[in-house]
Amino acid sequence: SPMAGSPEISITVRCAASGFEWCSVRLPPQASVAELRRRISAGRPAELGAGAHGVHLFHGAALLREGSTLELSGLGDGSEVGVVRVDPLGAWREGTLRWRTVTVPQPTYYTGLRVHAVGRDRLFGFPEDAQWSVGRVKRRAGVSDFWLIGADESSADYAPEGALPDGPRFVGLRRLPLPLPEGHTVTFASFDDGILSVTVGEAGGRHALWHRFRLHATDDDLGRAHYETLVWAPRGLGDRPWVRPPSECYGGFVARESHQRKAGRLQRLMTVQDAEQTVLSEFEIEGGHVGQGVQALGQDYMLCGGEHAGEDAFYDMRLFNWRTGELIRTVNLGFDPGYVESDWDRGLLLGSSQSFYITFGNAGGDSCSVVFCTPE
């Protein structure tokens, strides 16, 4: 590891508004801001929420970028970092929403890639199943079927073919093959807390081999993303092969939805509770389907499926202030096919762009799409 043997520095983390000390973190100067964010999240999970995408980190007045090192950020000798809460849906209130679709040349099942938000407004994705069929054609996942898709890249160096030059921020796409022989097939893949665990079969062999890699994918330059090979240590694999924070949980808040009959009319209720299950807000919304409710949750705002949602899909979204129950805006889906099926992967990216993502397979099964909706 490039940080092996480096002297560690001590960083005090405080709430920028109150000055209250949240925690103290020790890291090498060459560690990334993204690693600092992960350590802070582990130390104060209730305040930061799933993935810590609802805060900005500052050193003095300077916003810390996830891809930078602590040393380059002015923290080489240790210092204090201020944390500022940011509602991950705050810019959705009034901002213009920009829809962008990235076509990934990866055969998949109709649900598309299984993706994980890894920070720096990027997704890490791979086929959901080790093997699947498209018509009569059977396909198997290989060591090259792993991808990084970005919604907020600083250059067009990795802009996919056909993408519009819509800077100053660009979409990015990069295939990130495993550091294994090309002929191997993937029989199992699990991604959790930055660690990719896979089993692979050798070409023509009968035995599966286990491997573990740490993904490094938060450098500002997408081209620097890479795997770090780890010593294999099997722990609870197979229990939850696809792990990601639920979008209905944020910063100690949990949103629940239910139906109840009142005055002869069926009401759809949205309830937000804190970590102690104290009800903070409860309000009724019109229409929709109970299974298409909360898509993303922030400190004040909630993104829900639209009024005409059904059991299998929704066709627009609505932004509510969950503290007051006020409907802020209706969001039309600005991409083809113009609906989101219930089993398509979706959620908020971890980063500063406040982008919402949706993934699905394309007709014919030879490619898939990743759609980003980003407020401007």
Side-chain angles (χ1 to χ4, degrees), residues 134-295:
V134 178
R136 297 183 177 181
V137 179
K138 290 187 177 181
R139 300 186 183 275
R140 290 181 176 273
V143 297
S144 296
D145 296 344
F146 294 80
W147 299 84
L148 285 170
I149 311 102
D152 193 36
E153 301 302 320
S154 57
S155 76
D157 292 348
Y158 288 90
E161 184 177 352
L164 296 176
D166 58 351
R169 315 304 295 183
F170 304 85
V171 293
L173 176 66
R174 183 186 170 197
R175 187 190 292 268
L176 196 66
L178 302 180
L180 297 171
E182 178 63 32
H184 287 20
T185 58
V186 177
T187 59
F188 172 85
S190 171
F191 188 75
D192 186 17
D193 194 26
I195 305 296
L196 175 66
S197 303
V198 298
T199 60
V200 298
E202 296 178 329
R206 297 182 178 180
H207 303 290
L209 303 176
W210 295 85
H211 298 273
R212 292 176 78 235
F213 307 99
R214 181 181 297 280
L215 175 65
H216 297 273
T218 56
D219 192 284
D220 275 350
D221 183 356
L222 185 59
R224 294 185 178 179
H226 64 281
Y227 300 107
E228 173 190 354
T229 302
L230 303 177
V231 176
W232 176 250
R235 290 183 296 139
L237 288 176
D239 298 333
R240 296 181 63 197
W242 313 112
V243 178
R244 64 189 180 114
S247 58
E248 66 271 16
C249 300
Y250 169 79
F253 303 135
V254 178
R256 307 187 188 281
E257 50 185 310
S258 61
H259 281 176
Q260 72 175 23
R261 191 167 296 278
K262 183 177 180 181
R265 188 167 64 92
L266 194 64
Q267 289 184 326
R268 183 176 174 209
L269 295 178
M270 310 302 294
T271 303
V272 179
Q273 301 173 314
D274 62 16
E276 285 73 40
Q277 298 187 347
T278 302
V279 175
L280 304 176
S281 175
E282 187 172 73
F283 61 97
E284 178 186 357
I285 64 176
E286 295 293 333
H289 187 276
V290 70
Q292 305 293 352
V294 181
Q295 305 302 313

Side-chain angles (χ1 to χ4, degrees), residues 10 20 28 96 100 111 121 192 196 210 242 290 321 326 331 341:
S10 179
F20 177 77
T96 300
R100 296 169 296 168
T111 52
D121 293 295
D192 186 17
L196 175 66
W210 295 85
W242 313 112
V290 70
N321 182 324
E326 176 191 3
V331 178
E341 294 195 13

